[in-house]
Amino acid sequence: MTQDTNRFARLLSSELDINQQLCHVLEQELDCIRQQDITEFESLTPIRQGLLTELQSAASNRLEWMQAAGLIPGEKSARWQNITADEEIADLWTALQTQYRKNQGLTARLSELVLALGHRTRHKLNILLGRQHKPGLYNQQGQAQAVNTRMRGIRA
């Protein structure tokens, strides 16, 4: 392994490590949502934000190094072929791609759950406030009619 590949391996390894830590936090956030533990979920937010900042920095460092070295992933250049011929580099590159995909899937799942919970919460608030939801309909002039009408509110 040359000095170039050593540096690239360290950059990939560092980025992979941060990605794995982020994955762990995302999985914890999913568990918190499933268990409706909002306090724990909120405590994980600054940790996730810190890891995302670290990840952005690590990815930028790697990309800067790759650009300076004239490496473009997926290109059939001799330089890229030589560097990825190293088994450690190839394994780290594959692991990093896999981890990014896994984190992307977890993030998408978290987004879906948070949006669904937000919708459910708004619906419950509308019930408590006595609002009845009606679909947006158009009158004969093509103008939208009122979407929400007020019912008598619930009094405690």
Side-chain angles (χ1 to χ4, degrees):
M1 190 178 273
T2 67
Q3 186 176 4
D4 278 351
T5 53
N6 278 335
R7 171 85 172 126
F8 192 41
R10 283 193 310 273
L11 290 169
L12 290 173
S13 181
S14 173
E15 190 174 351
L16 179 60
D17 181 52
I18 297 166
N19 257 302
Q20 289 169 337
Q21 291 175 47
L22 178 61
C23 180
H24 180 68
V25 170
L26 293 172
E27 288 171 342
Q28 286 179 310
E29 286 182 334
L30 271 173
D31 288 341
C32 288
I33 288 175
R34 287 182 185 127
Q35 297 169 8
Q36 298 180 1
D37 187 352
I38 301 305
T39 306
E40 180 66 20
F41 181 79
E42 288 175 342
S43 72
L44 292 170
T45 300
I47 297 169
R48 178 178 31 86
Q49 291 297 347
L51 287 170
L52 287 170
T53 301
E54 283 183 57
L55 183 59
Q56 184 177 15
S57 176
S60 292
N61 289 339
R62 175 183 52 84
L63 288 171
E64 286 173 13
W65 183 89
M66 289 175 72
Q67 287 174 345
L71 294 175
I72 300 172
E75 209 174 75
K76 301 294 181 194
S77 69
R79 180 109 170 97
W80 179 252
Q81 297 287 336
N82 288 339
I83 289 214
T84 56
D86 183 285
E87 190 174 329
E88 181 183 4
I89 297 290
D91 290 346
L92 284 169
W93 185 256
T94 301
L96 186 60
Q97 288 177 321
T98 302
Q99 192 64 57
Y100 267 115
R101 280 192 290 274
K102 182 176 182 181
N103 287 356
Q104 186 179 27
L106 286 169
T107 302
R109 183 69 185 129
L110 271 167
S111 295
E112 290 170 3
L113 286 173
V114 168
L115 286 173
L117 289 172
H119 177 72
R120 198 173 312 151
T121 301
R122 279 189 301 282
H123 180 68
K124 288 177 182 178
L125 282 172
N126 284 337
I127 291 171
L128 288 173
L129 294 172
R131 293 181 186 151
Q132 181 182 17
H133 178 73
K134 288 188 175 182
L137 300 175
Y138 293 94
N139 61 20
Q140 292 177 343
Q141 289 79 30
Q143 297 174 337
Q145 293 178 341
V147 175
N148 286 322
T149 59
R150 251 184 114 72
M151 294 182 352
R152 231 168 113 180
I154 299 173
R155 294 193 177 115

